[in-house]
Amino acid sequence: MKCEVVAVGTELLLGQIVDTNSSYIGEQLTMVGIDSHHQTKVGDNHDRMVAVLELALSRSDAVIVCGGLGPTQDDITREAIAHVMGVELVRDEEIVERIRRRFGSRGREMPLNNLRQADVPVGAWINPAMPGTAPGLVCPMNGVHAGKVIYAVPGVPWEMQQMMTEGIMPDLQERAGITSVIKSRTLRTWGKSESGLAEELDDEITRLDETGEATIAFLASGWEGLKVRITAKADTEAEVDAALDAEDERVREIVGDIVFGVDDDTMESVLLDALRERGMTLALAESLTGGLIGSRITATPGCSDVFRGAVVPYDREFKMKLLGAPDVPAVSEEMAIAMATGVCETLGADCGIAVTGVAGPDAHEGQEPGTVWAAISIQGQTEAVLLNLPFDRERIRQFTCIAALNLLRTRLLAR
Amino acid sequence: MKCEVVAVGTELLLGQIVDTNSSYIGEQLTMVGIDSHHQTKVGDNHDRMVAVLELALSRSDAVIVCGGLGPTQDDITREAIAHVMGVELVRDEEIVERIRRRFGSRGREMPLNNLRQADVPVGAWINPAMPGTAPGLVCPMNGVHAGKVIYAVPGVPWEMQQMMTEGIMPDLQERAGITSVIKSRTLRTWGKSESGLAEELDDEITRLDETGEATIAFLASGWEGLKVRITAKADTEAEVDAALDAEDERVREIVGDIVFGVDDDTMESVLLDALRERGMTLALAESLTGGLIGSRITATPGCSDVFRGAVVPYDREFKMKLLGAPDVPAVSEEMAIAMATGVCETLGADCGIAVTGVAGPDAHEGQEPGTVWAAISIQGQTEAVLLNLPFDRERIRQFTCIAALNLLRTRLLAR
């Protein structure tokens, strides 16, 4: 069973709106094991819409069309579908009533334009869910496309989503005779390049290609790390979960301790949990990152039981004044270690993270951009590592954050 | 001239990533008057990619393909394009060297996988911009598609965007024979809703529809404020600039002092300039934002002459210890004012910004999420305002940042 998605709207092509509906629909289809091999954006143009729908029907068993069901003149999805079906549009008086009642309930008159929303291709029926004034359409095909179907939903995300859940997914699964379950799990990693990981997992990927037990995909996500997504398919939820667990274990055995979390875990949430379990508190001394690490830590709800606070001694003078740092070069191992130790004392924390370096674009005190010292302190034991980050200013700062957080995480786990 | 966009990547169809690249490209094309009638997402599948490219070439004069240029086995855009061109891939030793140097500069060995990124279809050339390890390709077509072109760019947005600007747009405009100059200017605003602004500018937009002097578009951009983009078209650079200047002036007359900057200005860069002009320095005391304001300030190169540093007294105790705050409720006008005054003294700064509030999701000391006190201090004069931000945790923190920065900006200008 294949199902395509067609997103309708000139504003999508102009880049005024990002099409998130297709992604949502693709995710829903994937969950139940329906393939979506093509997703297309097309403008509010009758001939092009008809051509795109014809093509989609020739490639797939079902098509979900988002948008163009509004009341205005450029909402012509109804007309385009009727043309593809080779039928007329008839006004559905029951829908007219539902729309009129909806306006009435808001104490407003229904504008005449909205009558167009009650026009339905002959042979089509209405999606049971109708959260807005735009009815969703279920349009069974005949002729060359007999047995196939077009679902039309509004472009308004929450209206579309309700129609997907209540009207479209059940119908699609019945048509597909679907019994199998597909699920994914994402391993969050930091410390290896995409190509490096791909090389390490090369044999396993080849093995999976043969056995079909699961699939592995990579997703580089900047300072969120590199995501390794495992997807498995089976007849029951239990079998899928078992397959995911087994593959999860195999991947971890191969790539080692670079896996810091799963699915929605973030580096900061994982670190906060590790500190919480150990009853430890955290303080930060941020120079080149200027508060970026603290902003990530505090993005996590409930961090206040672990996070004591941060000092951003951007001016060198305050590295000494607030953290008791010695008079050494601002970007040096000694300074990083002094900052990490100092901030633990100043804020009375068990653990400290300190970063100092050159974010660029220019060199500083003879040091090149990307030269960063990160130090961590755990109950008085402090160490520093030199990071070499050949990127632009923002990514030097971002990668400094996740590298420093990961340094503390790994050292905590190693104890 | 018509240009299609093809976004490649199974993860796009599965809904794991939202395709924002096509929207960006569509916007760029629109600015110079090139039509983009179709935008397609297709998975990492050779036959389907070839079919989609063939179809795109049959409908359009140019095709921009995003993604599938990485080093891993599922990155097969190079192969698909070579197939469409009917040519072989040849390894470009110069590209191999560039990639190897890039790894070398990070003190790392180039994994063998990355060699694939140096494979180029015979007859194609390399996009002049190569910010990452993936070269962009410019592939002139021959045979049935003679005179048409495929541009391949990586799916990584910042790499794609640089290649669009430096390599693709100039080539496209030359092919399109676009002589008229089209330029845009974005007025950055903070303080009014999109519908509010649209209402104020309603008459002016109607006037522009008639005269065609320029066009106005709105772009809500979260904590970057609301962007008002003015676009003008003329025969010469000088005429376009004159048209933009004139419209810029009219819009400012209508909307008032909510315009804080232009184009690449940010609230923080504008504030830093205002402080620099006045020879003033800045210090921050961030509670609920946890370093977010500092991270924005320090994202601006050259901020160190103005920015002294920040204190993040996340634990209440340190509001007092580091800032000499009195024993008053953590979220109160008194605390905000004490923090702003205190951080100026502690860090020896002329101006201070302090924020304290409830980011949620839960209430704190009986105060609802979204209750935020922002205080600013200018040479000893301190004031605080109460913000009510009925949003989720992250947007409460983000809007607190820009609101607090804007408060200091407006007060400085008013002096």
Side-chain angles (χ1 to χ4, degrees), chain B residues 13 39 336 376:
Chain B
L13 297 173
Q39 297 180 357
I376 60 142

Short mmCIF file of all heavy atoms in Angstrom, two decimals, chain B residues 13 39 336 376:
data_model
loop_
_atom_site.label_atom_id
_atom_site.label_comp_id
_atom_site.label_asym_id
_atom_site.label_seq_id
_atom_site.Cartn_x
_atom_site.Cartn_y
_atom_site.Cartn_z
N LEU B 13 10.28 12.07 4.17
CA LEU B 13 8.99 11.41 3.91
C LEU B 13 8.45 10.78 5.19
O LEU B 13 7.24 10.74 5.40
CB LEU B 13 9.17 10.34 2.84
CG LEU B 13 9.59 10.84 1.45
CD1 LEU B 13 9.89 9.67 0.54
CD2 LEU B 13 8.50 11.72 0.85
N GLN B 39 7.29 21.55 -6.02
CA GLN B 39 8.36 21.18 -5.10
C GLN B 39 8.05 19.77 -4.61
O GLN B 39 6.93 19.50 -4.17
CB GLN B 39 8.45 22.18 -3.94
CG GLN B 39 8.82 23.59 -4.42
CD GLN B 39 8.91 24.60 -3.29
OE1 GLN B 39 8.66 24.28 -2.12
NE2 GLN B 39 9.27 25.83 -3.63
N ALA B 336 13.92 42.30 41.14
CA ALA B 336 14.42 42.65 39.80
C ALA B 336 15.28 43.90 39.87
O ALA B 336 16.39 43.95 39.33
CB ALA B 336 13.24 42.86 38.85
N ILE B 376 15.83 47.37 34.25
CA ILE B 376 17.04 47.90 33.60
C ILE B 376 17.60 49.02 34.44
O ILE B 376 16.87 49.75 35.12
CB ILE B 376 16.72 48.43 32.18
CG1 ILE B 376 15.69 49.56 32.26
CG2 ILE B 376 16.24 47.31 31.30
CD1 ILE B 376 15.97 50.66 31.27
#
